[in-house]
Amino acid sequence: MPVGINQPSNQIKLTNVSLVRMKKGKKRYEIACYKNKVLEYRSGIETDLDNVLQIPSVFLNVSKGAVAPSADLAKSFPKMSVDDIILEILQKGELQVGEKERHAQLDRVSREVIDIVAGKLVDPKSKRPYTTGMIEKALDQLSQQGANAQHEAKQEAKHENREKDRHTPNASGTATPTNTESSNGETKKAKDLPTWTGVSTTRSAKSQALDAMKALIAHQPIPVARARMRLRITCPTSILKQAAKSAAPKSADDDEDDKAAKGTVKDRILSYVEQVESQDVLGEEWEVVGFVEPGAFKALGDFIGTQTKGRARAEVLDMAVVHEGD
């Protein structure tokens, strides 16, 4: 009896493989790639296809070694060569990843989200940034609250359905009223607030960081505020004293709103600046450097564009100003 089984010399073993799948019509096509190389190719880090593809062929089933027939490829991908079909699947197909690879990708996105949030939020009193550890703990707290809120919402919906069934009109056409209006009003307010349920690998880190910042600012598990932007605003002195035409930015003080609405272009520009760092006149141009809340930047840009017809400009010197040190 032979001690071992000799494998065919022309058999190719696929190890360390990631599958990229694409469904066209009723057929599903697959290509065999090296792990971690698909994402690098899609992000532009890897450009050599030989380092990405294990075999330059299109399969119906990689694990069984079933190569896709040319007739099926021609029907599903008309007027495309095999190389073009491989590129199409590689760029737009669904990547099948293992548990370890998925966990590593989730950790990478999570770190990126936390780094972005930590760089954009500060303590509103000291204007100093939080450490990534504190931001991570705050987001974990919000994630737990979001999961609990979802569970409570499901339980509440079940309870409301039972109440409706129990208080349906009887034979006399009357029903017992329920006292749920006040609780419904409170739950609606809670539902209107932004929520955070954790990091996902299906969305970009930047968009998830924006959602995380909105949730942190809304719920305040730790005192946070958006870091202010540092701008340089220049405007011709000839139009500074002109009366402002558009509406003034809203603030907590109505009297200040009225003054800004009736003020000059200079007054309106300064109303957007939370703190003035320097102010000077250079020849025929007035220049002010100061700090602006990120939410007011768009309104400031719109005002400058419409009121001065592009003659004034706002230059971003720093996207997020934080105070370092003790």
Side-chain angles (χ1 to χ4, degrees):
M1 294 292 292
V3 177
I5 300 175
N6 294 325
Q7 299 289 344
S9 60
N10 62 346
Q11 182 178 4
I12 300 175
K13 286 187 176 182
L14 295 177
T15 57
N16 191 32
V17 64
S18 283
L19 301 181
V20 182
R21 296 171 177 168
M22 175 178 282
K23 192 171 183 181
K24 279 281 189 176
K26 296 181 180 180
K27 296 286 185 179
R28 188 184 67 181
Y29 300 98
E30 300 177 347
I31 56 175
C33 304
Y34 292 103
K35 284 187 177 181
N36 303 323
K37 287 297 182 179
V38 177
L39 296 177
E40 290 183 5
Y41 178 80
R42 289 179 175 178
S43 61
I45 298 174
E46 181 62 67
T47 56
D48 190 355
L49 283 178
D50 293 335
N51 295 331
V52 180
L53 297 173
Q54 293 214 14
I55 298 179
S57 301
V58 182
F59 296 84
L60 292 177
N61 192 313
V62 171
S63 60
K64 294 181 180 180
V67 179
S70 300
D72 291 346
L73 293 176
K75 186 177 179 180
S76 300
F77 302 91
K79 299 180 181 180
M80 292 180 66
S81 64
V82 175
D83 292 340
D84 292 337
I85 294 172
I86 290 175
L87 289 176
E88 178 83 5
I89 297 174
L90 186 58
Q91 291 172 351
K92 300 180 181 179
E94 179 184 358
L95 175 62
Q96 305 296 313
V97 295
E99 184 178 351
K100 289 183 178 179
E101 192 173 4
R102 190 181 298 109
H103 185 68
Q105 185 180 0
L106 188 64
D107 285 345
R108 179 182 59 80
V109 176
S110 179
R111 287 195 300 269
E112 192 173 348
V113 168
I114 291 172
D115 287 342
I116 294 173
V117 174
K120 298 290 185 182
L121 296 184
V122 295
D123 186 310
K125 291 184 178 179
S126 65
K127 304 299 182 184
R128 293 191 177 96
Y130 285 103
T131 62
T132 54
M134 295 184 70
I135 294 295
E136 186 175 4
K137 287 181 180 179
L139 289 177
D140 288 342
Q141 182 179 342
L142 287 184
S143 182
Q144 293 176 1
Q145 291 177 358
N148 294 335
Q150 288 180 352
H151 178 70
E152 291 176 0
K154 290 180 180 179
Q155 295 297 325
E156 186 179 349
K158 290 181 181 179
H159 178 71
E160 288 179 356
N161 290 334
R162 291 196 200 101
E163 289 294 321
K164 288 179 181 178
D165 294 338
R166 192 161 61 90
H167 295 286
T168 51
N170 53 26
S172 61
T174 60
T176 306
T178 57
N179 188 18
T180 59
E181 292 183 0
S182 59
S183 61
N184 287 340
E186 293 176 359
T187 54
K188 284 181 180 179
K189 289 181 180 179
K191 288 179 181 178
D192 290 339
L193 292 176
T195 57
W196 176 253
T197 55
V199 177
S200 171
T201 57
T202 58
R203 297 173 55 206
S204 68
K206 187 176 180 180
S207 64
Q208 293 186 78
L210 290 175
D211 292 341
M213 286 188 285
K214 290 178 182 178
L216 286 171
I217 292 172
H219 295 276
Q220 294 287 318
I222 54 177
V224 292
R226 284 290 299 269
R228 298 177 300 177
M229 302 173 68
R230 185 167 176 262
L231 305 181
R232 178 191 289 118
I233 306 168
T234 56
C235 181
T237 55
S238 58
I239 61 175
L240 282 179
K241 295 183 179 181
Q242 293 181 4
K245 298 177 183 178
S246 55
K250 292 183 179 180
S251 65
D253 196 335
D254 293 337
D255 294 337
E256 291 182 2
D257 285 351
D258 293 338
K259 287 181 180 179
K262 297 176 182 178
T264 61
V265 171
K266 180 180 179 180
D267 295 333
R268 284 293 311 281
I269 291 175
L270 289 176
S271 68
Y272 289 100
V273 181
E274 187 180 85
Q275 179 183 348
V276 176
E277 186 178 284
S278 64
Q279 192 175 169
D280 199 3
V281 176
L282 304 174
E284 297 182 352
E285 278 198 341
W286 170 71
E287 178 183 288
V288 59
V289 177
F291 302 96
V292 176
E293 289 291 334
F297 177 65
K298 185 178 184 301
L300 172 62
D302 292 341
F303 171 76
I304 288 176
T306 56
Q307 185 71 37
T308 68
K309 297 180 180 180
R311 296 176 65 189
R313 61 185 181 276
E315 178 186 355
V316 179
L317 301 179
D318 198 336
M319 285 294 295
V321 179
V322 295
H323 295 275
E324 302 288 350
D326 297 332

